[in-house]
Amino acid sequence: MRLEYSEHQITEEDKLTIRLLDRAYNLEVKLDFQLYQDCDLLKRRVRLINHGDRAVKLEQVLSASVPLPGDCGDFQLTGLIGAHLLETKIERQPIRAGRHVLEGRQLYTGHAANPFFALDASGGQGEGATETTGQVWFGGLEWSGNWKIVVEQVRSPEQLVRVSAGINDYDFAWQLQPSASFQTPWLVLGYTGKGFGQASRNLHRYQLDHLLPKPQATQLRPVLYNSWEAVGFDVNAISQLALAEKAAKLGVEVFVVDDGWFGRRNSDKAGLGDWWPNPTKFPKGLAPLIERVEALGMDFGLWVEPEMVNPDSDLYRAHPDWVYHFVGRTPSLSRNQLILNLARPDVKEYVLTMLDVVLSRYNIKYLKWDYNRPISEAGWPSASLEQQREISVRHVRSLYDIVAQLRGKHPEVLFEACASGGGRADMGSLAHFDHAWASDNTDPFDRLAIQQGYMLAYAPKTMYAWVTQSDHNRANYSLQYRFHSAMMGSLGIGTNLNNWSESELKQAQEFIAEYKTIRSCIQHGQVYRLTGLNGRPGNQAVQYQAQDAQTGVVLAFQQREHFWQNRHRLQLQNLKPYRVYYLKGDLADGEHTRVSGQALMEYGVLPRFEGQYSSALVGYGCEIIDTKGV
Ligand code: GLA
């Protein structure tokens, strides 16, 4: 393709479109730029319009390809790498000659890598950026399907680093028909000279103020209860009601029944696709339970996995051709399930109608939308071979469209994006769903590493975290440690409440009440990682500062320490130096409770830790009168 500049247009000060033309194909290419001055970010996407009279085959259309300055020294790439139960692990690698590819190509975003990147430069000094200093170029894709981010070092003849990102061209082709258009997802791009902390804050602010669906974007996320880790598939009207009564007493605001409530679902072997209440578990349907949950003062939520079907389901028996498959090959199962072909308009319409019926019939305020397998046989036998290579894009577009239509009809429902844990945590999801599930690993210590990676790219509000009984590390965590770890984002409870003693229930009630007093700070404030990205995540401390910068809270964790080790004071960030701050919470003996901003930023504060796997919560607030005037 040979593109020539045709014209450009600037609208509303912060939007630029550059129009290019390929005269041979009569193809118009529009490069859209949108600036977000309030969070110092730029977005780019590409639109193609076929003005010719023949179809044009698109084989790769990225959202943008950006050269970084060549005179900044050596670059390092920071990515969020992982697996199921070990998502969003922060990994850094030096950029050497050649291509470094982060990608997902399993139809969904995936666990192996996340569509986020950060590149920091040594500036010729041999050191890269830190939490508070240094140059960082960063960004993320608003896309939940096959994606790729390619970082390439080229010499031309000087050294240059280029980042290219967009829909993955793996098994992709798109027939652009005459008069039709094709649009890429947005690529969000940012630069800061103030280190990784500022990069995260810019992304968080963009997500909170511009990306998340409205009006829920400005509403605080409720404290939720989820049944999955408590009882697995063994949900029924009686046991759920008993749990709901206990949850309500704790201060839970939305009660979510997870997997197992529908069809013949007693294990993962059957039922997906049959979205009506299991008659043995819920003999009178869901309505009586929902009414009781509401009478207890909570909203009701439900788990669904609408893109999937078990072969052992009425839906599959009626429509075996509705799944992705190749003729003559038995489709491969993963978690005993197959993927519905949402590229087909009839299947998409069916899924939309089915969910609309569920949301209309019951008073549901929260839908956990799961997706639990990668694609294997990406076949669509009734379509042409060309069209079959459009599956990866059509599927995700249908997903987004279904959610958007449901939101239009049921504007009071919160939608959670989940894919076997954190497989759908990305900015494409966050443009359509209200938050994401970061990981099925709810061990509070493991979770600190996962959450640190998650929050490098995504706002804490978009990350639910549950207090459960999980203990992969045989650490016998305290309830406080479990709560503090889960309070780093939107708080949930996932434990079997029948296993908590009266005293544990009382403590939990107090933690939930405390969380409610700090949650606007956690969910809507600014994040400062006081221990940076390089330390052990088990020893991290995060400061959340309210938007008005008057109050804040620090959550700090200690994995273990030798008795001879000096304890680390935490230097807070972005306080007013001449103001006096009041401190309260878990402070070490001898710590002052009335300290100037300057002292807190330079000398710091020492939290009180009680041995290994311990945690502390310290709140701070401004005194009304300045000591010096700022
Ligand atoms: C996935 C989710 C879990 C839970 C189960 C239910 O693994 O990540 O949170 O909902 O499915 O089957």
Side-chain angles (χ1 to χ4, degrees):
M1 198 180 293
R2 184 183 296 173
L3 296 171
E4 291 168 25
Y5 171 82
S6 154
E7 60 180 358
H8 73 273
Q9 209 182 4
I10 297 175
T11 47
E12 299 167 38
E13 260 183 27
D14 48 10
K15 291 194 177 85
L16 163 68
T17 296
I18 300 175
R19 206 168 146 254
L20 310 169
L21 288 177
D22 181 298
R23 293 186 194 282
Y25 287 111
N26 206 356
L27 190 71
E28 180 184 359
V29 176
K30 287 181 172 171
L31 310 179
D32 293 327
F33 297 83
Q34 180 153 2
L35 197 61
Y36 293 88
Q37 297 193 37
D38 54 343
C39 38
D40 207 5
L41 293 175
L42 179 71
K43 288 209 301 196
R44 224 298 283 268
R45 76 172 174 196
V46 176
R47 284 180 291 159
L48 295 101
I49 303 131
N50 184 359
H51 296 295
D53 47 18
R54 282 177 304 142
V56 177
K57 183 177 172 191
L58 308 176
E59 293 184 326
Q60 170 164 276
V61 196
L62 296 177
S63 299
S65 183
V66 189
L68 304 189
D71 53 0
C72 296
D74 295 331
F75 280 92
Q76 294 202 85
L77 170 64
T78 300
L80 299 176
I81 309 302
H84 179 230
L85 302 179
L86 148 77
E87 290 88 340
T88 51
K89 187 166 164 288
I90 296 171
E91 281 193 13
R92 299 185 81 184
Q93 53 173 306
I95 295 298
R96 309 246 186 267
R99 289 156 66 88
H100 303 247
V101 182
L102 300 172
E103 65 176 349
R105 45 189 212 186
Q106 297 178 317
L107 195 65
Y108 71 130
T109 316
H111 298 73
N114 189 278
F116 160 85
F117 72 91
L119 284 152
D120 64 305
S122 66
Q125 310 299 310
E127 292 290 329
T130 69
E131 187 61 18
T132 51
T133 62
Q135 297 181 295
V136 187
W137 291 259
F138 58 94
L141 267 170
E142 293 184 11
W143 188 240
S144 316
N146 290 356
W147 61 276
K148 73 174 181 182
I149 296 175
V150 181
V151 180
E152 191 171 12
Q153 192 186 80
V154 280
R155 289 186 184 272
S156 63
E158 319 94 15
Q159 185 173 299
L160 184 95
V161 168
R162 180 183 293 282
V163 186
S164 311
I167 291 172
N168 202 322
D169 53 333
Y170 169 77
D171 199 18
F172 166 82
W174 190 275
Q175 291 294 120
L176 191 64
Q177 301 298 337
S179 307
S181 63
F182 182 89
Q183 187 173 304
T184 71
W186 289 103
L187 175 66
V188 179
L189 291 161
Y191 165 78
T192 174
K194 295 182 186 154
F196 290 104
Q198 193 59 47
S200 295
R201 285 189 291 282
N202 291 355
L203 284 170
H204 295 178
R205 193 60 26 225
Y206 165 69
Q207 292 152 14
L208 294 174
D209 293 350
H210 301 286
L211 184 67
L212 285 171
K214 298 193 171 52
Q216 283 87 346
T218 54
Q219 297 161 4
L220 291 171
R221 293 288 169 268
V223 176
L224 70 73
Y225 181 82
N226 180 291
S227 64
W228 176 244
E229 288 205 32
V231 294
F233 297 101
D234 194 14
V235 292
N236 63 60
I238 295 168
S239 70
Q240 290 303 293
L241 180 56
L243 287 171
E245 278 164 359
K246 292 196 167 178
K249 280 196 196 131
L250 295 186
V252 165
E253 295 159 314
V254 55
F255 185 84
V256 183
V257 174
D258 206 280
D259 200 348
W261 62 270
F262 52 89
R264 280 175 288 277
R265 185 79 165 167
N266 294 311
S267 72
D268 61 19
K269 293 199 172 64
L272 287 176
D274 299 342
W275 301 106
W276 55 85
N278 178 298
T280 315
K281 299 178 183 185
F282 297 92
K284 296 184 181 156
L286 291 175
L289 174 63
I290 297 176
E291 279 160 25
R292 285 295 300 139
V293 165
E294 286 175 345
L296 290 165
M298 297 182 292
D299 286 332
F300 184 79
L302 207 55
W303 178 95
V304 285
E305 197 179 354
E307 298 152 85
M308 299 289 167
V309 68
N310 285 116
D312 186 1
S313 67
D314 292 352
L315 183 65
Y316 184 75
R317 280 183 281 273
H319 299 285
D321 54 325
W322 276 13
V323 298
Y324 294 116
H325 68 287
F326 294 125
V327 172
R329 279 187 202 275
T330 310
S332 316
L333 297 178
S334 172
R335 211 193 187 206
N336 302 302
Q337 63 198 53
L338 299 167
I339 308 176
L340 287 174
N341 181 346
L342 289 197
R344 281 177 59 147
D346 54 345
V347 180
K348 176 189 166 189
E349 193 55 37
Y350 174 85
V351 171
L352 171 63
T353 308
M354 174 278 289
L355 287 170
D356 184 28
V357 167
V358 172
L359 293 178
S360 305
R361 182 168 298 160
Y362 303 110
N363 198 9
I364 290 168
K365 295 279 174 50
Y366 188 109
L367 202 68
K368 175 173 170 183
W369 184 305
D370 213 336
Y371 175 100
N372 281 317
R373 67 156 291 177
I375 197 163
S376 44
E377 292 84 5
W380 176 4
S382 58
S384 65
L385 274 180
E386 284 85 23
Q387 219 186 2
Q388 294 194 43
R389 298 186 66 195
E390 298 177 1
I391 282 174
S392 63
V393 172
R394 288 187 182 276
H395 187 98
V396 180
R397 287 186 177 169
S398 294
L399 164 74
Y400 289 166
D401 194 42
I402 293 171
V403 177
Q405 291 200 47
L406 291 172
R407 296 192 83 99
K409 289 186 164 179
H410 307 277
E412 70 294 346
V413 178
L414 283 172
F415 287 79
E416 171 172 0
C418 174
S420 307
R424 247 186 197 162
D426 61 77
M427 287 199 282
S429 290
L430 296 181
H432 297 87
F433 294 81
D434 298 289
H435 41 259
W437 180 229
S439 179
D440 280 345
N441 187 343
T442 60
D443 174 289
F445 166 68
D446 291 352
R447 193 73 187 206
L448 291 178
I450 294 166
Q451 294 180 173
Q452 188 174 51
Y454 184 99
M455 293 198 306
L456 176 60
Y458 308 110
K461 177 180 182 174
T462 69
M463 175 186 81
Y464 261 101
W466 306 341
V467 176
T468 67
Q469 277 154 281
S470 173
D471 188 350
H472 294 150
N473 302 292
R474 295 172 199 272
N476 200 16
Y477 308 108
S478 67
L479 203 56
Q480 166 163 317
Y481 188 81
R482 292 181 186 278
F483 263 96
H484 285 171
S485 173
M487 281 178 176
M488 295 186 85
S490 292
L491 178 64
I493 312 291
T495 204
N496 189 335
L497 298 177
N498 298 320
N499 296 342
W500 274 354
S501 65
E502 279 306 316
S503 113
E504 284 170 320
L505 288 168
K506 186 160 180 302
Q507 277 184 65
Q509 191 182 40
E510 285 163 11
F511 282 121
I512 291 174
E514 182 175 37
Y515 177 74
K516 288 178 183 170
T517 68
I518 59 171
R519 79 170 140 183
S520 70
C521 198
I522 301 232
Q523 294 187 11
H524 293 162
Q526 308 253 51
V527 169
Y528 299 88
R529 284 181 291 263
L530 303 182
T531 39
L533 293 175
N534 291 333
R536 287 187 296 169
N539 287 346
Q540 70 181 285
V542 180
Q543 173 189 352
Y544 299 80
Q545 183 156 285
Q547 269 183 293
D548 66 4
Q550 302 280 313
T551 53
V553 60
V554 177
L555 281 163
F557 300 86
Q558 174 176 277
Q559 185 177 347
R560 61 182 70 208
E561 65 172 7
H562 296 290
F563 73 91
W564 62 77
Q565 250 169 3
N566 281 339
R567 292 171 302 162
H568 292 291
R569 303 189 69 84
L570 298 172
Q571 279 84 37
L572 304 198
Q573 293 180 33
N574 198 28
L575 303 181
K576 299 264 188 268
Y578 299 118
R579 284 204 153 190
V580 170
Y581 290 82
Y582 283 113
L583 300 175
K584 63 175 187 179
D586 305 313
L587 294 164
D589 289 346
E591 285 297 296
H592 294 285
T593 53
R594 196 171 171 273
V595 187
S596 75
Q598 185 161 10
L600 279 174
M601 290 192 290
E602 290 176 11
Y603 182 56
V605 59
L606 194 60
R608 182 180 63 236
F609 291 123
E610 315 270 2
Q612 64 178 2
Y613 298 111
S614 61
S615 63
L617 188 156
V618 176
Y620 63 88
C622 265
E623 201 177 42
I624 317 281
I625 303 162
D626 287 6
T627 49
K628 264 200 187 177
V630 185

